[in-house]
Amino acid sequence: MDRKNRLISSLALFNITGKDAEELVDFLDFIDAPDDLIYLGAVLENITAALELPLIRDIAPHTKLVQQAIKYRSSAYFLLEKLQLHRDKIKFFRPMETNVKKAMQGYLSKHPIYVLLFMNSDKNQQFYNALQQLLLFLPALIELQTTKNPDVFLKEYEKLQMCEIFREFSTESPITDWYGYIRGEKYNSLSKIIGLLQQLSLRLERLAYKNKARLLSRLNTLIQIFQLGLGIEKKRHNVKSRRGGSTPHKSPEIDGFTALTGAMLVKLTLPDIHDDEDLIYALWESPSEPVDYEAIYSGEEEQEQEVGDVYIFQTSQPLESYVQAFHGKRVSTAILNRITRQNNYLPLSLQMLSPHEHQLILDAIINEHVSISTDTLIKQLILLTMLYTASPFERAREVLFATRFDDNDTPVQIGYEYSTHSWVIPALNLNYKTTGDFSEAQKPANLLRLPATKLCRFKFEKLAKLKPPSQTQEKPCNKINILSVDFSKYIADIGSGTLTKGRISNYLLVTGCAVFGQATAALLFNREPPGSMARSYYTSLHTSLLQQRYKILLDVLAASVERKVSTASHAECDGWIGARYRPEMDQITAAITAIKYDLSRLQTTLTEPGKWIDFHNLYVTYQVFCQSLLTGMRPITTPLVQREQLVVSAGVFIRKEKAREDEFNTRHIPLCKTVLELISAYERHLMIIKSRLLRTNIKPASLPTLFYIEANGKTQRFQPLLYQRVLNHYINLPPNLNRRLLRNYLEEQSVSHEIIDVALGHANIGEQYWGAHSTLSMRDIRTQLVPHMTLFARLLGIKTIAGLFA
C-alpha cells in the first residue's frame, strides 16, 4: 500500500472517504503528516492559528502561495471539525505528555516539519504560530530564490536540523525566557524574524550558562537556513572525493581499553569476514552525542544509551586481552547483515561440532593405557581446555595450574585447581562499564570454579607427575613450545580432518547461548558471545547458580554422545559475577517497607501546612519505584504506565524508548494485577492533586503526567536526579537498579532467556520479536511472565497505597 492509500485509510477513521479524502492527501503532504496521523488534532489547532495570522510580507506578494494558504486553512478547519466528532480516538488529540521528544518518539527524523507544527510555547504562543506559518512556506520561498540564484537552495537534512534546533531551544531556559521577553513584538516578515534571532544571539553572548557555545552555533545555523528565503547563500563545507582509493594504514597500538571510547576506533581495520577460524564477532555500539547525562546519573550504563556509531570486534581473544590487538571499524551495511545472519543462525553446525565429531575428540583423548609424549599430553590438555571452558586456542595455550588459586585476586588467565579439581575462570570484566562504587552493594567474586570432568582430572593428574603443582601458578605450555600450526595439524588427524580450532572452542559457548542465553554464557566462560551487550551489563548471577548451569551443559554434551558425565563436587565459591553492582531482594524489600511506613505516617498529618506536598512527592517516588520494578522501565522522563499505552486484550502495554525507529527499543511489557492497581491509584491521586493546584491558579492542562511539588507550591517536572534525591533516603543505589534486579530475578527463576530479552528490550541486531516468522506472541509471553511477576511483587512487599483524598 502506497502513502496515498495509507493516508486515505487513516482518514476513513473519521468517516472521510472518496473525493473528500483524496483532496486532503495534498494538504497532509504539505504539513508533512505521518501515515497514522498521530496527534493530528493538536497539529491542526496550531496550523489554523498560524494561518489566521496575517501572512508575512514575503508570502503576500505571491498569489499562488496566498491561494495555497487559503485553501489549506479551509482544509485544516474541515479536518478539525471532523475530528471533534471522534473525541474517543485519543491518539489524534494532544496527549498529557508535554515533552516533545517523548511524545513524538519515532517521528522526529521522518516528519520534522510535522513535529514543529505540534509544538507549543507557554511563554509566547503567537511567536510559535508565526514561526509555524513561516516554516510551512519556507521551502517555497527558497525555491523562488533558487530560480534567481542556483547557489541558494535548501538541503533535505536542513529541515531536520530546524526541527532539532527548535526542539532543543524549547528546553533551554535562556531561550524560552527570551520568548516571553519579545511578547507583543510584530512578526510580520522573514527579515523581522531573522532580526529578532540575531538579537537573541547578542543576548546569549552576554550571558554565562551551560552549553553556551553549542546554542550559539545552533542559532547561527538556524539564521543561515532562514536567510536562504531572502536569497542569501548558506556557507556549507565542501567535501572532496578521495582519489586513487584509500591508503592502507596500520592499526595503532592501544594500551588498555580506555582508548576504545574515542575517535581512535575510526582508524582501525576491519577483520576479514571470510576468516578460516570460524570466528565469532561481537558489536559495540557507541552512544550518540550528546550523551544523556540524566540517564547516566540514574544508573544506566553507557551501552544503554541511544546508539551512534557501531563497531565490530573479533572475539578470538578473551575480552580483557584482545583489545590490544583487536580489529574494528565503523560497520558497513554488509557487515551488519553478516552479524544479523550470525545472530539468527548461531546454533547451526557452521559454529558447532556435530555429535560424531565430539565423539571422535573424546576417543582420541581417552588412551589411558597408551604411552604418549609430553608434547601430545599438552596438546590434549589444550584441546580439553578449549572444549570444556569455551576457550579460543590462544587462551587455552596460556592455561595455568596450581594447587590453589587465591579468592582475593582475579587470575590473569584461565586455570586448573588441583585441590578442588576445578577449572578456574577469571570473573568477566565488562571493560566498557561506567565506574562506580556503592557502599550498600556486595562486592563481586574475583573468580569462578567450574567442576572438571573425570577425563580432565585424569589428564591433569598425568601432568602433575611430570610437573608437580604448587601454590605458584604455572603454565604447562606457551607460545614457543606449542605453535598454532602444530595444534592445527594435531586436530586435523582426528577423524576426517573437518575439525577447526574455532568450532571446538565455540561448541560449549554456543550451546550455553542456546540453553541459558548470552549473559549466562558470558559469565560462565569469561567470553562475550555476539549479541546485545546490555544483557551482560544488567545480569549478575551467584557463582553457585553458574556452577549448576555448567553441570547441566555438561549433561547436554554427554547426552549427545550417549555417555555419562562424571564431575567433581562443586567447590564452595561465594559471591556473584556480572554487572557493575547487584541489588539484592532484601535491600529493595527494606526500602519499600520504609517508604510505605513514611507514607502512612504522612497520611495522619495531612492537615498540617505543607504535609500534603511531602506526601505527594513521596507518593510519586513510591509509584515510580514500584512500577519500574514490575515493568523494567527506565526511571527517566515519564516512567509510569499510561492508559493509552495499554493493550487490554493481551494484558500488555507498549512503550517505545530512546527515540529510535528500529524495533529494539519498542517494549511489549506484560502487566500483572498489581501494576494495574497502582495505575488506578495514581490516576485518582493525580485528579485530587490537580484540583488542589487549581486553587493556586495552576491550570491542570499545563501539568505533565508526573511531577514533584516544591515547598513554595511550584511544580517541577519529574527528573531522574530529583527522583534519586528522594530515593537515596531509603536505598543508596542508582535508580536504574530495577532493571538489574528484575533481570537477575527472572534468570534465577529459570525463565526463558528469549522471554527475558523481550521484557527488558534487549534484542540482538537482526532479531524481530514480532516479525512475520516469529513464534512469540504477546499472550504466550504474558502467560509465562505474569506468575513470576506476581510472586515478585509479593516477595518485595509491593502493595497499592491510596493517594490523597478530596
Side-chain angles (χ1 to χ4, degrees):
M1 186 184 295
D2 60 14
R3 172 170 165 78
K4 179 179 178 181
N5 288 327
R6 289 195 296 271
L7 289 172
I8 290 175
S9 177
S10 296
L11 289 170
L13 297 174
F14 320 130
N15 298 326
I16 302 175
T17 57
K19 186 178 179 181
D20 287 342
E22 291 183 5
E23 289 178 351
L24 285 171
V25 169
D26 181 47
F27 168 69
L28 294 174
D29 280 335
F30 176 66
I31 65 174
D32 192 27
D35 296 344
D36 59 3
L37 304 182
I38 187 76
Y39 305 142
L40 179 63
V43 173
L44 291 174
E45 288 173 354
N46 282 341
I47 290 175
T48 53
L51 295 181
E52 282 294 344
L53 293 175
L55 294 178
I56 62 174
R57 294 172 184 171
D58 307 82
I59 298 174
H62 303 285
T63 305
K64 185 177 179 180
L65 295 183
V66 173
Q67 291 173 344
Q68 194 178 43
I70 296 172
K71 175 187 174 183
Y72 287 152
R73 184 176 62 186
S74 299
S75 298
Y77 275 119
F78 173 76
L79 253 179
L80 197 55
E81 183 180 346
K82 290 288 186 180
L83 266 177
Q84 297 303 324
L85 302 176
H86 299 274
R87 296 294 303 185
D88 57 315
K89 297 181 173 63
I90 59 175
K91 67 170 278 190
F92 298 110
F93 295 91
R94 186 168 295 279
M96 293 179 65
E97 176 60 62
T98 57
N99 183 288
V100 177
K101 184 177 181 180
K102 172 65 180 171
M104 300 297 285
Q105 279 184 339
Y107 301 89
L108 301 171
S109 59
K110 286 190 174 181
H111 303 280
I113 300 299
Y114 189 80
V115 172
L116 289 180
L117 296 173
F118 169 81
M119 292 171 61
N120 275 344
S121 170
D122 57 353
K123 297 290 181 69
N124 191 344
Q125 183 61 29
Q126 188 178 8
F127 178 62
Y128 256 49
N129 290 149
L131 284 173
Q132 287 161 345
Q133 182 191 115
L134 170 62
L135 291 168
L136 284 171
F137 293 96
L138 183 63
L141 292 176
I142 295 175
E143 283 183 15
L144 292 173
Q145 297 295 341
T146 305
T147 59
K148 303 175 184 177
N149 181 0
D151 292 329
V152 176
F153 58 91
L154 180 68
K155 289 192 172 183
E156 193 64 30
Y157 78 87
E158 289 168 337
K159 294 181 182 178
L160 179 59
Q161 264 190 319
M162 284 193 295
C163 174
E164 290 175 339
I165 292 170
F166 273 116
R167 182 163 50 82
E168 184 177 347
F169 283 3
S170 69
T171 62
E172 296 290 342
S173 56
I175 294 179
T176 56
D177 290 344
W178 176 77
Y179 290 159
Y181 176 76
I182 62 169
R183 187 193 295 269
E185 290 274 359
K186 292 184 178 180
Y187 322 111
N188 52 9
S189 69
L190 177 55
S191 57
K192 173 66 175 179
I193 292 173
I194 292 173
L196 288 172
L197 293 177
Q198 289 170 337
Q199 291 177 23
L200 171 61
S201 180
L202 295 174
R203 177 187 176 94
L204 295 179
E205 285 279 9
R206 295 192 296 269
L207 299 178
Y209 58 93
K210 185 180 178 182
N211 294 334
K212 175 177 178 178
R214 174 178 172 79
L215 290 184
L216 284 170
S217 173
R218 301 283 273 174
L219 181 58
N220 182 56
T221 299
L222 183 64
I223 291 172
Q224 288 188 50
I225 294 174
F226 278 5
Q227 285 177 334
L228 291 171
L230 299 177
I232 301 173
E233 293 181 31
K234 181 177 182 289
K235 295 179 181 178
R236 295 186 174 95
H237 296 292
N238 292 323
V239 181
K240 297 181 179 179
S241 60
R242 296 180 181 178
R243 296 182 180 180
S246 59
T247 304
H249 48 262
K250 181 181 178 182
S251 298
E253 296 296 327
I254 295 181
D255 183 17
F257 63 85
T258 53
L260 295 178
T261 58
M264 183 74 72
L265 283 169
V266 181
K267 302 178 181 178
L268 304 178
T269 58
L270 192 67
D272 181 4
I273 64 171
H274 302 291
D275 200 291
D276 294 331
E277 292 295 330
D278 307 303
L279 295 175
I280 288 180
Y281 297 91
L283 284 179
W284 177 62
E285 301 176 324
S286 70
S288 60
E289 293 294 340
V291 172
D292 188 349
Y293 289 105
E294 278 199 354
I296 291 290
Y297 295 149
S298 75
E300 286 201 39
E301 301 292 359
E302 185 176 337
Q303 294 299 332
E304 283 288 286
Q305 297 303 297
E306 185 175 344
V307 170
D309 297 319
V310 185
Y311 303 98
I312 186 170
F313 300 109
Q314 171 186 316
T315 60
S316 62
Q317 303 285 339
L319 195 62
E320 74 279 8
S321 62
Y322 77 71
V323 293
Q324 293 179 354
F326 72 98
H327 302 286
K329 189 180 171 68
R330 296 190 179 194
V331 182
S332 66
T333 302
I335 301 302
L336 282 176
N337 289 338
R338 174 192 169 95
I339 298 296
T340 296
R341 291 195 299 273
Q342 177 179 266
N343 287 336
N344 287 333
Y345 303 109
L346 187 64
L348 299 186
S349 59
L350 297 174
Q351 297 283 5
M352 299 179 66
L353 298 175
S354 67
H356 176 65
E357 290 170 325
H358 183 198
Q359 181 70 61
L360 289 175
I361 291 174
L362 296 179
D363 290 342
I365 296 176
I366 299 173
N367 46 19
E368 301 179 17
H369 306 295
V370 178
S371 177
I372 58 175
S373 66
T374 302
D375 283 350
T376 301
L377 175 62
I378 289 176
K379 289 173 185 175
Q380 290 180 350
L381 290 174
I382 293 174
L383 183 54
L384 288 170
T385 305
M386 293 170 64
L387 183 63
Y388 288 110
T389 66
S391 294
F393 169 73
E394 290 77 8
R395 185 169 78 170
R397 183 171 56 183
E398 301 292 319
V399 65
L400 303 170
F401 69 93
T403 54
R404 182 74 181 181
F405 285 75
D406 188 353
D407 291 324
N408 297 319
D409 292 326
T410 302
V412 296
Q413 189 52 272
I414 196 169
Y416 181 84
E417 188 174 71
Y418 279 89
S419 60
T420 59
H421 304 296
S422 303
W423 296 106
V424 175
I425 312 294
L428 178 66
N429 179 22
L430 298 171
N431 288 319
Y432 308 113
K433 67 187 178 186
T434 52
T435 58
D437 187 18
F438 306 102
S439 58
E440 294 189 14
Q442 181 186 0
K443 300 299 181 185
N446 293 306
L447 53 83
L448 172 66
R449 291 183 174 88
L450 301 177
T453 63
K454 182 178 179 181
L455 179 58
C456 295
R457 297 200 306 271
F458 174 75
K459 289 298 177 180
F460 272 101
E461 289 301 331
K462 282 203 166 192
L463 176 66
K465 294 177 182 178
L466 300 174
K467 298 181 179 181
S470 66
Q471 293 291 339
T472 303
Q473 301 169 15
E474 296 185 47
K475 295 181 182 179
C477 52
N478 53 50
K479 297 179 181 179
I480 297 175
N481 58 20
I482 296 294
L483 300 176
S484 176
V485 63
D486 295 334
F487 186 78
S488 296
K489 289 178 181 178
Y490 171 70
I491 60 175
D493 293 335
I494 300 175
S496 59
T498 59
L499 294 174
T500 65
K501 297 194 293 291
R503 292 175 65 206
I504 293 170
S505 65
N506 292 342
Y507 187 33
L508 199 56
L509 180 75
V510 176
T511 303
C513 288
V515 177
F516 295 118
Q518 171 196 339
T520 294
L523 298 180
L524 275 173
F525 306 118
N526 188 0
R527 185 179 170 197
E528 198 62 68
S532 170
M533 291 286 287
R535 295 168 180 170
S536 294
Y537 276 85
Y538 283 84
T539 305
S540 50
L541 301 179
H542 285 289
T543 52
S544 57
L545 178 62
L546 291 171
Q547 290 174 334
Q548 294 170 17
R549 292 190 170 182
Y550 180 72
K551 180 62 168 61
I552 293 172
L553 289 181
L554 294 184
D555 290 338
V556 171
L557 263 60
S560 70
V561 292
E562 298 180 352
R563 290 173 178 263
K564 290 184 178 180
V565 63
S566 173
T567 61
S569 300
H570 294 168
E572 290 188 9
C573 193
D574 297 328
W576 55 271
I577 292 175
R580 180 164 57 126
Y581 64 92
R582 176 186 165 91
E584 299 292 349
M585 292 282 287
D586 56 352
Q587 291 175 292
I588 312 305
T589 303
I592 291 173
T593 302
I595 296 175
K596 289 191 298 185
Y597 173 79
D598 285 350
L599 283 173
S600 63
R601 180 175 52 80
L602 285 170
Q603 279 179 326
T604 63
T605 60
L606 291 177
T607 55
E608 297 179 18
K611 290 298 182 181
W612 69 275
I613 293 178
D614 294 339
F615 179 86
H616 167 78
N617 292 338
L618 188 57
Y619 190 74
V620 165
T621 302
Y622 179 76
Q623 281 279 346
V624 173
F625 194 41
C626 293
Q627 287 198 35
S628 63
L629 283 167
L630 296 177
T631 61
M633 286 191 297
R634 297 171 177 84
I636 54 179
T637 59
T638 309
L640 291 184
V641 180
Q642 299 176 46
R643 290 284 177 184
E644 58 266 27
Q645 298 170 328
L646 291 174
V647 181
V648 179
S649 60
V652 301
F653 90 99
I654 300 176
R655 177 187 175 109
K656 187 163 186 176
E657 298 183 320
K658 296 197 266 189
R660 286 174 58 189
E661 295 175 2
D662 58 46
E663 187 178 340
F664 308 150
N665 295 297
T666 301
R667 305 269 307 288
H668 303 74
I669 304 176
L671 296 180
C672 63
K673 183 180 178 181
T674 306
V675 177
L676 298 174
E677 292 172 349
L678 288 168
I679 296 170
S680 299
Y682 183 74
E683 288 174 342
R684 291 191 294 270
H685 170 80
L686 188 60
M687 290 177 60
I688 303 301
I689 282 292
K690 285 185 175 182
S691 66
R692 289 201 178 203
L693 292 175
L694 183 60
R695 301 168 201 162
T696 62
N697 296 323
I698 297 179
K699 296 181 180 179
S702 67
L703 293 171
T705 304
L706 200 61
F707 56 89
Y708 287 107
I709 304 176
E710 298 176 358
N712 59 9
K714 291 185 178 180
T715 60
Q716 194 167 6
R717 178 184 294 277
F718 177 89
Q719 294 177 6
L721 291 178
L722 297 176
Y723 171 64
Q724 185 172 9
R725 192 178 303 158
V726 179
L727 191 63
N728 279 352
H729 292 298
Y730 301 93
I731 184 168
N732 189 26
L733 289 175
N736 213 30
L737 63 89
N738 63 308
R739 291 170 63 76
R740 287 173 170 77
L741 185 73
L742 180 56
R743 184 165 188 109
N744 293 340
Y745 168 76
L746 294 175
E747 284 275 5
E748 290 162 0
Q749 295 294 312
S750 299
V751 176
S752 166
H753 58 90
E754 292 94 348
I755 302 297
I756 297 174
D757 292 338
V758 171
L760 288 168
H762 290 162
N764 284 338
I765 288 180
E767 284 184 342
Q768 292 184 333
Y769 292 140
W770 317 113
H773 305 289
S774 173
T775 58
L776 296 172
S777 75
M778 292 186 187
R779 287 187 177 87
D780 289 342
I781 291 172
R782 185 179 185 278
T783 301
Q784 293 189 49
L785 267 182
V786 167
H788 294 291
M789 299 309 299
T790 302
L791 176 61
F792 189 51
R794 188 163 67 249
L795 291 174
L796 292 175
I798 295 176
K799 294 183 179 180
T800 304
I801 296 178
L804 290 177
F805 295 98

